[in-house]
Structure formats: structure tokens, C-alpha cells
């Protein structure tokens, strides 16, 4: 089935550690996105990519990094510079930037 | 800054009644709008898309778009407890080349038995 796969579902980070969240899609979508959601809050855009080998910062990019080497994959690294990383991370994709986005099931990141 | 605004709620509606969720947007150039449903602890799910003025119906859901007044609404008829969720409105920018959709912060809907 076509869809977006995020892994792992739960992730724990130690102080000073970088962690990488995986996002893979087989929808042949050009655009991919990463959002952060805190409890009871809306979606905040971290990074987005409209084409392979290109990406743009969203509203809260500090402490995060991404790559887009393949159309299907858009991994997010939460670096040690992100001091409050505990949140629900959502990956999404769309055919173009103006088309509706489809979401993966999310990754919950917590601090040990 | 282009915005999409929603009342955060919670909106409490009795079971079987009509739930009405509203969204206003600032970008007059926006041509299409999307409604997402997000259950607690889950990811958002696209439930309706609307591209032109007027109403679009899909089962118990009706999306309404009024471009002149810059609002879009979602009506849920015969509300069920399973409709209890947060509903997000989203719109792509009208004329900006930075083409990514903007999400509202969501309205929390609670259907009471």
C-alpha cells in the first residue's frame, strides 16, 4: 500500500546526543515536510523540501537538520543543540506544495 | 504573515446534533482549503478538500467556502462520539512562490452522549 512510514514510533534521547528520525514515502510525492507538535498545541513546521537535494527552514529549524538525497526519504536529525526536544514529530508529503499533505503515524521523542 | 485562524474550543455538541467548525484566512489568493481530523495521540487525517465557492458534501460532512468573506467551515451532521477530535483547517498560499500550506491551530470538538 502507498503511504508514509515513520520510524521509530518511540525514541529516547540522552543528553548531548543527536538522534535521527526516519521518514520514507512511496507516494511519488515531490514535497516532504517535518512538523513538531507539543501537547495541546498545533503543528509547527521545522523543515520542508520541494525537490530532491533542496530544502528550506520552517518556523522552528534551530537545533534540527535534514537531508533530501532521495525523493522517497527525508530524515530529520534532532541535534544536541535542541534543548527541549520532547515532542511528537510528524512527517508529511504532498504532490506539490499546494496539494493536501498526507501524514505518517509520527515519532514520539523523549529525553532520558 | 499569511494566517489561518480557528477557535481553539473546546466545542461541545450533543450527540446527533450538527457540529459547526469555522476557519478564517488572510490570504485572498488562496484557492483551495483542506480539513483534517486529528484524534488524540494520532496524526492528522485529511477528511475534506474544497476548491470552489459553495458547499461540498461527503457523507455526514459538508465543507462550505465563502471567498468573499474569507472563511471556510465544516459541518458534521448527526454527530457521533467518534467525531470527538481536533479539526485542523489548512490553506495553501495564493500567489506566493513559497508554496506550502498553512495550518490553523485546530478546534477541539467534543461530542457528549
Amino acid at each position: 500500500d502507498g503511504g508514509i512510514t515513520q520510524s521509530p514510533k518511540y525514541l529516547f534521547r540522552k543528553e548531548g546526543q543527536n538522534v535521527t528520525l526516519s521518514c520514507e514515502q512511496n507516494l511519488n510525492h515531490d514535497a516532504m515536510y517535518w512538523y513538531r507538535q507539543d501537547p495541546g498545541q498545533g503543528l509547527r513546521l521545522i523543515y520542508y523540501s520541494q525537490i530532491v537535494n533542496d530544502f528550506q527552514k520552517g518556523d522552528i529549524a534551530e537545533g534540527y537538520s535534514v537531508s533530501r538525497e532521495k525523493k522517497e526519504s527525508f530524515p530529520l536529525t534532532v541535534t544536541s543543540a535542541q534543548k527541549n526536544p520532547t515532542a511528537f514529530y510528524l512527517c508529511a508529503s504532498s504532490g506539490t506544495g499546494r496539494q493536501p499533505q498526507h501524514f505518517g503515524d509520527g515519532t514520539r521523542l523523549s529525553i532520558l | 504573515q499569511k494566517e489561518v485562524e480557528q477557535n481553539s474550543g473546546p466545542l461541545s455538541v450533543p450527540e446527533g446534533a450538527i457540529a459547526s467548525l469555522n476557519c478564517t484566512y488572510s490570504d485572498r489568493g488562496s484557492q483551495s482549503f483542506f480539513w483534517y481530523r486529528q484524534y488524540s495521540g494520532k496524526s492528522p487525517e485529511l477528511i475534506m478538500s474544497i476548491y470552489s465557492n459553495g458547499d461540498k458534501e461527503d457523507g455526514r460532512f459538508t465543507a462550505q467556502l465563502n471567498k468573499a468573506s474569507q472563511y471556510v467551515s465544516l459541518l458534521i451532521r448527526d454527530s457521533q462520539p467518534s467525531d470527538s477530535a481536533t479539526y485542523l483547517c489548512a490553506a495553501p498560499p495564493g500567489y506566493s512562490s513559497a508554496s506550502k500550506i498553512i495550518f490553523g491551530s485546530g478546534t477541539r470538538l467534543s461530542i457528549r452522549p
Side-chain angles (χ1 to χ4, degrees), chain A residues 29-104:
Chain A
H29 283 169
D30 286 319
M32 297 187 74
Y33 312 82
W34 274 106
Y35 294 91
R36 169 179 172 145
Q37 189 173 40
D38 293 287
Q41 303 298 310
L43 303 175
R44 291 192 289 171
L45 184 64
I46 305 172
Y47 269 99
Y48 65 104
S49 168
Q50 297 183 53
I51 196 169
V52 175
N53 292 323
D54 188 42
F55 49 82
Q56 288 79 41
K57 292 181 179 179
D59 302 318
I60 56 164
E62 185 174 350
Y64 300 97
S65 66
V66 293
S67 63
R68 186 85 187 277
E69 297 177 0
K70 297 187 301 182
K71 186 175 184 178
E72 302 80 17
S73 179
F74 192 40
L76 173 73
T77 296
V78 183
T79 75
S80 57
Q82 173 49 247
K83 297 305 180 187
N84 184 23
T86 297
F88 187 38
Y89 290 86
L90 288 158
C91 179
S93 71
S94 63
T96 69
R98 295 173 187 270
Q99 292 177 328
Q101 295 175 15
H102 300 270
F103 288 82

Side-chain angles (χ1 to χ4, degrees), chain B residues 50-108:
Chain B
I50 186 165
Y51 298 93
S52 58
N53 263 341
D55 295 0
K56 178 183 177 184
E57 188 174 317
D58 184 0
R60 295 186 297 111
F61 297 93
T62 299
Q64 299 176 320
L65 173 58
N66 184 323
K67 291 186 179 180
S69 301
Q70 293 181 247
Y71 81 79
V72 58
S73 61
L74 180 70
L75 303 179
I76 306 175
R77 291 183 300 281
D78 187 23
S79 297
Q80 303 297 310
S82 60
D83 296 325
S84 297
T86 296
Y87 289 81
L88 304 170
C89 173
Y95 305 114
S96 169
S97 61
S99 53
K100 58 179 175 64
I101 68 176
I102 306 297
F103 284 88
S105 57
T107 298
R108 188 154 53 96

